[in-house]
Amino acid sequence: MAGRIKILEMFLRMIVRALFRQKARMFVALLAVAVGAAIISGMITVYREVPAQLGREFRAYGANVLLLPAGEAKTFDGASLKKAQEALRGHDIVGCAPFLYERLEINKQPVLTGGTDFEEVKKVSPYWMVKGEYPKAGEREILLGAEMASKIARDTDKLIGQTVSVSAGEGKAMLSFTVSGIVSTGGKEEQFAFLNLDELQKIVEKPGAVGLAQLSVVADGDSLKSVEDAVRTANIGIEPQEVQQIAHSEFNVLKKLEVLILLVTIIVLILTLICVTTTMTAVVTERRREIGLKKALGASNANIVMEFLGEGCVLGLVGGLLGSGFGYLFAQSVSINVFSRGIAFAPGIAVLAVVLSVIVTGVASLIPVRIATSVDPAIVLRGE
């Protein structure tokens, strides 16, 4: 055992000395391996972390799941919605905004009016642009859509702070609500008015009723299916429905990102392979005399192969270690600057980068090794 350790120690010492004898060339090869490993580990780290962070960025475009009444029912109750939220514990839920839509008379004009929880709307639909403020909970305040508000007054900004009459229809009580703000969304919401959910439920005499809920969850593909399955298996009279446009957009973007990272990784590996092969070939050419002398003294082709493969693997190991560290710093910088969030160091990715670096340098050494084993010691030692 001690003898094997001694042989291994001598072998490593020989490889290190050989590497240091060709400092300039080996530095170029080491730099190529380190850069390659840095890009690979950085890109893989970014890809590993980006889907979740991109998922949160996509949530700015609205809900990706709708919770609708099951069967022929037109509404479900708030208790069922709470059970649905309990069934989704463990999923990364951004927000869940309940809605109830009814046609009311506002200043004696029929307007489709939605009742909702505005704190949840801020989470689910951050793209809503509100001049003024959202209605406060427990207050008789109303949020008017920009298009709807323009039908009441030419200068819609002056409506903010004014009162409007709200009624469930002919023969129903007329209530006064203060306009808290004007909302612009670029969608149909601009034609509506919005109240606090409990206020609308009182006006239309439907306590606890919810027409639908917009669910914003950080998930895609199979994860999104698991969200739907969790709601269905709860058997609470709610049917989940994926918002196809948003969900497919997320899926397409992430798939394209995956292909991009795969292509970049392959290109970097090829470039690293070419650079190391070129460098090692030049090293073998310069060391032909040394190789010829070793073979003349009894070194076998296997000994020559092990020496050059060893040099390549050591080069790959050191370059991979350096590159994986710089790759993590690169990924951390991208995440902080783009998403304003840090990412954790992934040892598995670092190991993968090192292993790939060793494999690439090992493969890159095959051509030089073949040249080395073909050296005829008699011809080389004669100076030919």
Side-chain angles (χ1 to χ4, degrees):
M1 186 68 179
R4 289 182 179 180
I5 295 175
K6 193 73 174 176
I7 292 171
L8 180 61
E9 183 181 343
M10 290 177 63
F11 178 67
L12 291 175
R13 191 179 301 169
M14 180 178 65
I15 289 173
V16 172
R17 285 179 178 175
L19 290 173
F20 274 100
R21 280 203 306 271
Q22 304 285 332
K23 289 180 183 179
R25 293 191 182 279
M26 290 305 178
F27 176 76
V28 172
L30 179 64
L31 186 62
V33 174
V35 170
I39 294 174
I40 291 170
S41 65
M43 293 293 282
I44 294 175
T45 302
V46 168
Y47 177 71
R48 175 176 168 270
E49 295 291 334
V50 157
Q53 302 198 34
L54 268 182
R56 287 200 163 270
E57 293 296 319
F58 270 113
R59 298 285 55 80
Y61 297 99
N64 51 353
V65 177
L66 295 179
L67 302 180
L68 305 171
E72 297 182 1
K74 294 183 178 180
T75 62
F76 54 84
D77 57 35
S80 296
L81 181 59
K82 287 183 179 178
K83 289 179 181 178
Q85 291 173 308
E86 289 174 3
L88 294 174
R89 283 182 181 174
H91 293 277
D92 193 355
I93 306 297
V94 175
C96 182
F99 284 89
L100 176 64
Y101 287 98
E102 296 287 343
R103 194 166 292 279
L104 302 181
E105 288 188 358
I106 298 177
N107 281 2
K108 298 185 179 180
Q109 295 183 35
V111 177
L112 189 61
T113 305
T116 187
D117 181 339
F118 290 104
E119 290 304 315
E120 292 299 312
V121 167
K122 292 175 186 177
K123 301 174 186 176
V124 174
S125 304
Y127 62 89
W128 283 25
M129 304 296 292
V130 176
K131 286 183 181 179
E133 297 179 350
Y134 282 94
K136 300 180 185 68
E139 300 288 337
R140 278 194 177 176
E141 294 181 337
I142 188 169
L143 184 68
L144 303 179
E147 187 176 332
M148 183 263 161
S150 65
K151 295 178 181 179
I152 298 177
R154 289 184 179 179
D155 188 352
T156 57
D157 290 351
K158 290 183 179 179
L159 280 174
I160 300 173
Q162 302 298 314
T163 59
V164 294
S165 60
V166 178
S167 171
E170 189 175 346
K172 299 293 184 178
M174 192 78 70
L175 303 173
S176 293
F177 278 76
T178 302
V179 178
S180 66
I182 310 294
V183 62
S184 300
T185 65
K188 291 184 177 180
E189 293 89 352
E190 294 187 6
Q191 303 171 14
F192 305 160
F194 295 92
L195 308 174
N196 282 300
L197 180 58
D198 57 348
E199 291 290 341
L200 183 61
Q201 290 169 342
K202 289 176 186 176
I203 292 172
V204 298
E205 299 177 352
K206 293 182 179 179
V210 177
L212 64 91
Q214 294 182 355
L215 179 66
S216 183
V217 54
V218 179
D220 68 298
D222 294 337
S223 300
L224 203 55
K225 289 294 182 186
S226 70
V227 169
E228 296 178 31
D229 292 341
V231 175
R232 287 195 183 98
T233 54
N235 196 24
I236 49 179
I238 294 178
E239 177 65 23
Q241 180 178 308
E242 181 182 305
V243 180
Q244 296 287 336
Q245 187 175 1
I246 293 177
H248 284 183
S249 295
E250 289 186 50
F251 177 78
N252 290 335
V253 168
L254 293 177
K255 276 298 176 185
K256 288 176 181 177
L257 178 64
E258 182 179 353
V259 172
L260 174 64
I261 288 177
L262 178 62
L263 289 174
V264 170
T265 301
I266 292 173
I267 291 170
V268 168
L269 286 174
I270 292 173
L271 291 175
T272 303
L273 185 68
I274 292 171
C275 183
V276 175
T277 301
T278 303
T279 303
M280 293 298 288
T281 301
V283 168
V284 169
T285 303
E286 291 178 0
R287 291 168 61 184
R288 289 179 78 246
R289 281 183 174 277
E290 176 190 332
I291 295 168
L293 180 59
K294 286 181 178 179
K295 295 183 77 172
L297 293 174
S300 66
N301 283 340
N303 297 137
I304 303 298
V305 168
M306 288 298 296
E307 180 180 349
F308 280 96
L309 280 179
E311 291 178 19
C313 290
V314 169
L315 204 63
L317 179 64
V318 176
L321 289 171
L322 291 173
S324 60
F326 285 115
Y328 170 70
L329 295 177
F330 163 73
Q332 183 79 292
S333 176
V334 169
S335 183
I336 290 174
N337 288 310
V338 177
F339 300 104
S340 300
R341 296 178 64 185
I343 54 178
F345 178 73
I349 294 175
V351 171
L352 176 62
V354 172
V355 170
L356 283 176
S357 298
V358 172
I359 291 173
V360 167
T361 52
V363 171
S365 300
L366 291 179
I367 295 176
V369 162
R370 187 171 181 178
I371 296 172
T373 55
S374 66
V375 171
D376 187 336
I379 295 175
V380 172
L381 293 176
R382 283 203 305 266
E384 297 180 11

